[in-house]
């Protein structure tokens, strides 16, 4: 086994592109639950656990219907679930993609397509656009990850 | 800190096995939502958002019950959730496992067990086999990831 | 592209800290579903699929209400979903964090904060503490991952 010039280095522009796009998507992944929290506090509703209806500093006026599904809060939860279905796959596929040394331009297109598609998906979801609009953006992000996973497989065979 | 012969190389058969199994599982992870989409379109039901009941090219005949839970569509969503509970853990544990340099045969058994168990789980789920059958296959995949995580911990101590 | 002293080595104490914390969190991620299984078996309830109500060795006395939501089982499922919202992000952010070579003490604080916060969150959730308690621990774990993702972004620019 020989020592190869490392692909995992800030000197490798493909890795750098991955770090940027992965960092952005990690922030998106971790900030969506904060939107859920803000919305829950705003409407004092959409809680998930029986104990969340108890009186507390964050819930000074408990109501019996606070654990019912609240569309305003639930939209953020559904967006979070959609993130979970897409972002961890992107993070993993993108990293393995870097390790099989793809051409720089190809990598830049595929990685940034994911970020752009997720940003557009976010806007379409939060503003409740037609399903078709959301589905279109989701398709781009999904194809980005599938492309990287396929490329990894081809290189590994 | 010395430069070690890199484990992250296509010359390392353990890494290569990981790339193959991870690539396959990434495709599985990303393709399950496509099954959900196909099923939604087929029955024009099982949508999740209020706006999905609006008339659109993909939904030419809106119905008031299109956002109710539809078992045919929901089965694919449950399979997706099950993937989310298992595949990201596998991708991460498998990669760290490679980095602590396990014996090749051991790595091949553990990594391919996961893939085989998930394939069998998929078939059992889609054909609605008994819970016991599904649980058996799930157990193998779960033990595969637990084994890798445990091995990583032992090596890191 | 020059060969750098590898960061991915057991000789790098930052990487070692990551391996330990990641291994622990991977075990947590994979063991939570086992708690769900144990609880399902204990109360013979909280199943998710229509076929789970069929008579089988693990379900000798089928009941028509076995697929209704059961709070005892569902609590473990909600804890699992909460893990999914947090642990894969930690695993990925933590690894990229190692790769941009943070100061050791900083890395130890951020990585172990996540583990400690998740352990406390687990105890608060399983014992049904007030929402405010759970939210406090969750905040620490979330900030840990956001810090690492932000640090990666700063280094990658």
């Amino acid at each position: 086994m020989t020592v190869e010039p490392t692909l995992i280095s800030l000197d490798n522009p493909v890795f750098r592109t991955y770090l940027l796009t992965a960092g952005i998507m990690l922030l998106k992944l971790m900030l969506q639950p904060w939107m859920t929290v803000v919305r829950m506090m705003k409407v004092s509703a959409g809680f998930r656990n029986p104990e969340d209806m108890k009186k507390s500093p964050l819930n000074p006026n408990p109501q019996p219907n606070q654990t019912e599904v609240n569309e305003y809060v639930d939209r953020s939860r559904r967006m979070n679930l959609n993130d979970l279905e897409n972002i961890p796959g992107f993070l993993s596929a993108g990293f393995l993609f870097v390790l099989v040394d793809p051409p720089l331009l190809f990598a830049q297109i595929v990685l940034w397509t994911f970020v752009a598609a997720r940003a557009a998906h976010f806007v379409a979801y939060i503003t409740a656009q037609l399903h078709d609009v959301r589905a279109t953006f989701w398709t781009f992000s999904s194809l980005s990850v599938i492309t990287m996973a396929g490329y990894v497989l081809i290189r590994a065979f």
Side-chain angles (χ1 to χ4, degrees), chain A residues 2-49:
Chain A
T2 58
V3 180
E4 297 185 353
T6 183
L7 297 163
I8 303 173
S9 156
L10 290 170
D11 295 334
N12 176 4
V14 173
F15 180 61
R16 209 176 189 110
T17 305
Y18 171 70
L19 273 191
L20 281 175
T21 55
I24 292 167
M25 294 323 300
L26 275 164
L27 286 184
K28 170 63 179 74
L29 180 67
M30 300 315 290
L31 290 176
Q32 190 63 47
W34 284 97
M35 179 185 276
T36 305
V37 169
V38 168
R39 290 188 163 204
M40 270 198 296
M41 292 300 111
K42 225 177 190 171
V43 296
S44 279
F47 296 135
R48 249 188 184 163
N49 295 282

Side-chain angles (χ1 to χ4, degrees), chain A residues 71-145:
Chain A
E71 168 58 20
Y72 180 64
V73 175
D74 201 57
R75 178 171 297 273
S76 182
R77 289 198 202 279
R78 291 193 306 266
M79 292 170 73
N80 198 181
L81 184 58
N82 195 283
D83 280 352
L84 297 183
E85 290 170 7
N86 289 281
I87 297 178
F90 167 77
L91 294 169
S92 183
F95 185 66
L96 300 184
F97 184 57
V98 171
L99 298 182
V100 297
D101 203 8
L104 176 59
L105 183 65
F106 176 49
Q108 287 172 327
I109 290 169
V110 173
L111 290 165
W112 284 111
T113 292
F114 186 87
V115 178
R118 292 306 293 174
H121 185 270
F122 173 80
V123 174
Y125 215 144
I126 201 88
T127 58
Q129 299 301 310
L130 281 185
H131 180 260
D132 305 34
V133 176
R134 230 171 57 230
T136 304
F137 295 133
W138 172 81
T139 298
F140 278 95
S141 63
S142 180
L143 290 179
S144 159
V145 181

